[in-house]
Amino acid sequence: MNSEYKQVKRMTTTGRIIHWANAISMVVAIITGLYIGHPYYQTFIADGAVDKYVMAWNRWGHFIVAIIFDVTSVVIAYLFFFSRFEKAYKKVIPTGKNIAQFIEVIINLATLNRRKKFDSTHSDSFNSVYFLIFHLLLAWMLLTGLQLYVSGLESGLSSIGKWWPWMLHISTDWTRGVCGGTIMDVRIVHHYTMWYIITWVVFHIYYQVWRTIFWKEADIAIVFGGSKFVKEK
Amino acid sequence: MSDRIEGVKKLFTSKSARVETNKGESYYLDLFEKCQTRLSELRASQPANRLDFSGLLNDNGIDRRDFMKWVSATTAMLMLPPMFSPLVAEAAELMNRAPVIWLELQDCAGNSEALLRSDGPKIDEIVLDIISLEYHETLQAASGFQAEKQLDEAIETFKGKFLLFVEGSIPMGMNGQYGTIGASGETFHDHLMRVSKDAAAVIAVGACATFGGIPAAAPNPTGAVGVMDVVKGKPLVNIPACPANPVNMVGVVMHYVLTGQLPELDSLLRPKFAFGYRIHDNCERRAHFDAGEYVEEWGDEGAKNNFCLYKMGCKGPMTFNNCSIVRYNEAVNWPIGVGRGCIGCSEPDFWDKYAYERPMANAKIKAPTGGVEKTVDEFGLGLLTAAGIGIGIHAIASAVGGKKDDGGEA
Ligand code: HEM
Ligand code: SF4
């Protein structure tokens, strides 16, 4: 290996676990979510209803990944501010330095890497903002999803206690007003947001691969091994 | 600490759909006494008409036993413990002490029809028959100046005491000129404001009076709105649905006669005893929903076997109403029972947002970008295609003219 390259640690093990848990959960959420919205395969008519539970399993799967999203979101929100490794929020505050870097990264992308005037050793402010957008979309999915979910707990009871629907009402009832007033609007918005997230993912994957090919710094390895490699200056 | 928690809890949940079905013994004992006092006062007061309730029951072939069954059901519906049954029975007989004025605005009179057109009136309808209907725009014999005089008299006599039922939306466009009434051509808006001023409480019945309903559906040519959008500072109850279920109208009037108060309401001012339930959670087809067994087409095998109507556009999962429990026409049947999906008629904007008879995911709705109406997935795929084209162009350009850092000096 070329000795002029140095290894830079970019993602902790926790970070990588969260990344892949999210990626897999996302695929499951989309598959089950689309089934819930419009059951697109049929079940065997000959079976008794108690045996198959197809919709119920899909909803179960959807809610399990929702819980995974719930928990990882809390962890990520915490790490965003308090991580000892890399405090991501510092990169999204619109300081002069961050804005300049943000623009440089876009120029780099637009000039097909003919101009690269920023330090790509550490997470740059463009990526940080882009990831923040993802987390906001995901949080929005959580809030709208939980609002849909709590409408099925209208008795105010739940197997884990009354505090649960109570808390969900406090934290998500406002989404109804924001989405357009009815629970149906929340559902429509929940479904639209899925497409924003998918579009986000498509560009995200493309961009990481593109960086890997054109920057030649093994960016894609960050999410597997935790490190990338940059030339010694 | 615990009362602070209670306080916060109250602050945030008072308007949610949550239903407290058991408020504790001391609460009910207290309420029982209050109701007793109120009923004896009512009994002492002059009945507004001489209709005799038990006579009417007899004439319609309803015996005491049927009546008592109805009493227990109504007591339960109002979420009162069984000891209230005798009071509910008494209140039913005293219904003719509750003066009611009924306004008919921009609508199809479907709620009046729901009350009146049942073949062989059931107890709910009879109870509504004997309420002292001082003025009902569709039913009264009087017309023109005579009718107006009658209204003025009713308002005068029962000032601050009558319940005002409103059916139909209020057209606000063109200064309200889309709907006028009476010999002087008063607009619906002015008419409603004038009468509601002296009402004890206003009860909006049906989808139109509550949330604007079908007249308010896009593009809402008359600028129709619901009663709660114009009447402010009055106790107001919404009893939505198309038509409102007479059971729920009786419930509200009964609650009022019994306790002198309006029932507990949710954030849309709907009584919780009726609208604290989600259709989907009490639907007899729910097992088929969970199993993934759906009617795919009208009249198919699934339809013959009472499969779930979700794929035919049932909106039970997003609709709050008690018709999956009390049904219509004295529990004879209800929309999903007859094999068609729920169209969400008790929810705001139901005509635009619920009633398209296909799952939301398949419905052509306004996209966030405007333009032609499309399904959410068509919009999403369009978005994805646009992103894909952008990425494709960038990828090809990069492959052809991009600069690779290490060694790839171009
Ligand atoms: C980010 C990943 C997610 C995606 C892609 C996703 C996607 C979807 C889609 C497409 C639907 C169907 C909407 C329709 O057309 O009717 C749906 C329904 C739903 N989602 Fe999600 N969702 C996600 C996350 C969540 C989360 C975090 C929750 C939280 C509990 C949640 C709860 C729900 C609920 C309750 C429904 C309605 C299910 C029902 O009423 O049976 N979703 N989701
Ligand atoms: S018919 Fe409608 S309310 Fe009943 S289970 Fe199916 S979706 Fe739910």
Side-chain angles (χ1 to χ4, degrees), chain B residues 56-338:
Chain B
L56 272 174
L57 289 183
N58 260 335
D59 294 349
N60 285 291
I62 292 162
D63 59 22
R64 183 82 192 156
R65 205 181 139 80
D66 288 333
F67 176 62
M68 287 322 288
K69 276 200 266 181
W70 176 89
V71 165
S72 341
T74 305
T75 311
M77 182 179 83
L78 291 175
M79 295 179 174
L80 295 171
M83 69 178 196
F84 279 78
S85 302
L87 296 189
V88 168
E90 200 180 337
E93 285 155 28
L94 295 175
M95 280 289 202
N96 57 358
R97 266 88 165 171
V100 167
I101 292 181
W102 186 296
L103 299 188
E104 176 91 40
L105 306 177
Q106 186 171 241
D107 75 319
C108 68
N111 300 289
S112 300
E113 295 279 342
L115 286 178
L116 298 167
R117 284 293 161 87
S118 47
D119 66 316
K122 297 294 190 310
I123 299 171
D124 289 311
E125 285 90 16
I126 296 172
V127 170
L128 289 175
D129 272 352
I130 72 154
I131 54 177
S132 133
L133 212 44
E134 295 306 317
Y135 176 87
H136 187 303
E137 276 160 356
T138 322
L139 303 182
Q140 65 198 358
S143 64
F145 290 109
Q146 210 189 349
E148 245 157 73
K149 187 156 157 276
Q150 207 172 330
L151 177 62
D152 290 341
E153 274 173 18
I155 297 177
E156 202 43 49
T157 321
F158 300 104
K159 212 176 188 123
K161 291 207 197 98
F162 64 90
L163 291 177
L164 177 64
F165 274 71
V166 186
E167 180 180 5
S169 64
I170 302 100
M172 301 294 280
M174 245 170 50
N175 271 328
Q177 294 298 323
Y178 281 107
T180 60
I181 192 160
S184 62
E186 195 177 24
T187 65
F188 284 171
H189 173 262
D190 295 348
H191 190 54
L192 172 64
M193 296 313 278
R194 177 162 67 91
V195 183
S196 66
K197 201 167 78 248
D198 294 316
V202 183
I203 300 169
V205 289
C208 304
T210 49
F211 309 124
I214 293 176
N220 192 358
T222 64
V225 298
V227 173
M228 67 174 166
D229 296 313
V230 290
V231 174
K232 307 279 175 195
K234 272 277 162 205
L236 180 81
V237 182
N238 280 333
I239 311 180
C242 192
N245 198 333
V247 175
N248 296 334
M249 300 186 211
V250 171
V252 172
V253 181
M254 176 68 77
H255 196 283
Y256 181 74
V257 169
L258 195 59
T259 65
Q261 290 160 1
L262 296 175
E264 204 177 327
L265 307 177
D266 72 5
S267 61
L268 295 167
L269 306 182
R270 304 179 294 194
K272 286 189 185 177
F273 73 77
F275 298 90
Y277 301 97
R278 190 169 67 146
I279 303 257
H280 189 54
D281 292 329
N282 298 290
C283 173
E284 63 249 26
R285 299 184 187 232
R286 178 61 184 265
H288 294 293
F289 174 85
D290 287 332
E293 294 177 332
Y294 303 102
V295 175
E296 305 280 339
E297 203 179 304
W298 299 124
D300 68 3
E301 268 321 293
K304 288 178 198 153
N305 286 289
N306 300 327
F307 281 9
C308 167
L309 295 155
Y310 187 61
K311 287 180 83 170
M312 302 310 289
C314 178
K315 297 299 180 298
M318 263 77 57
T319 305
F320 286 78
N321 200 343
N322 57 354
C323 47
S324 49
I325 306 164
V326 301
R327 306 182 162 210
Y328 276 83
N329 300 330
E330 211 94 331
V332 170
N333 214 338
W334 67 301
I336 291 174
V338 303

Side-chain angles (χ1 to χ4, degrees), chain A residues 98-112:
Chain A
N98 280 342
I99 293 174
Q101 195 187 42
F102 185 91
I103 294 171
E104 274 306 326
V105 180
I106 292 184
I107 293 175
N108 169 258
L109 182 66
T111 60
L112 314 174

